[in-house]
Amino acid sequence: MKIAIGCDHAGVDLKRALIDSVLKEHEVIDMGTNSKESVDYPDIAKPVAHAVAAGDVEYGILICGTGIGMAMAAGKVKGIRAARCSEPYSAEMSRRHNDANILCFGARVIGTGMAEKIVEKWLSTPFEGGRHARRVGKIE
Ligand code: RB5
């Protein structure tokens, strides 16, 4: 699977840990940042969201301190359904019912183990379609 990933300064360590673990088997395009120097999360969310919206990658993953800013910024791009998840149940449902195409979480909120579980669940869960497709269509 081709996945774009990005983070701000708060998410650098978690992003690296995920690239080296649960994302190892995927084709990952790292859109930064890669230093602890402060950056503005919308500047990272934008290229990741555009890559997903354009179909250059299947999914996006965005990490900041809380995951909130990334989700807000990514959701401004047409066609993006960004879900901020702090546990696997929401991650599963965001795929099953909402067809989320960007996963966001907060490196200051969850640990590496929880993030790995969330990513695994999110990437392996299909969209159910049916009545959910109608609802997702109404978002657009
Ligand atoms: C950066 O300090 C912090 O505001 C950012 O990582 C994120 O949590 C924003 O939503």
Side-chain angles (χ1 to χ4, degrees), residues 26-40:
H26 298 284
E27 187 185 343
V28 176
I29 299 170
D30 185 354
M31 297 189 160
T33 186
N34 279 299
S35 102
K36 299 282 176 73
E37 207 169 299
S38 182
V39 291
D40 298 338

Side-chain angles (χ1 to χ4, degrees), residues 8-10 41 64-70 108:
D8 72 358
H9 49 284
Y41 56 82
C64 60
T66 60
I68 295 171
M70 285 295 197
R108 294 173 180 157

Side-chain angles (χ1 to χ4, degrees), residues 8-126:
D8 72 358
H9 49 284
V12 171
D13 290 340
L14 181 54
K15 181 181 72 177
R16 285 186 189 142
L18 295 173
I19 289 172
D20 291 341
S21 59
V22 279
L23 296 175
K24 223 173 178 170
E25 72 211 50
H26 298 284
E27 187 185 343
V28 176
I29 299 170
D30 185 354
M31 297 189 160
T33 186
N34 279 299
S35 102
K36 299 282 176 73
E37 207 169 299
S38 182
V39 291
D40 298 338
Y41 56 82
D43 295 337
I44 305 293
K46 189 175 177 180
V48 169
H50 281 284
V52 174
D56 298 338
V57 295
E58 208 166 334
Y59 292 127
I61 297 176
L62 287 167
I63 310 165
C64 60
T66 60
I68 295 171
M70 285 295 197
M72 287 180 171
K76 292 289 179 189
V77 175
K78 189 168 171 48
I80 293 304
R81 292 174 299 279
R84 175 190 178 263
C85 303
S86 294
E87 29 66 39
Y89 178 76
S90 298
E92 178 180 348
M93 298 315 283
S94 78
R95 286 288 314 126
R96 212 176 272 294
H97 286 189
N98 313 112
D99 199 14
N101 50 15
I102 293 191
L103 171 66
C104 305
F105 41 78
R108 294 173 180 157
V109 179
I110 58 171
T112 305
M114 180 60 82
E116 287 174 349
K117 293 276 179 228
I118 289 169
V119 169
E120 274 172 350
K121 181 56 83 179
W122 194 75
L123 290 177
S124 63
T125 303

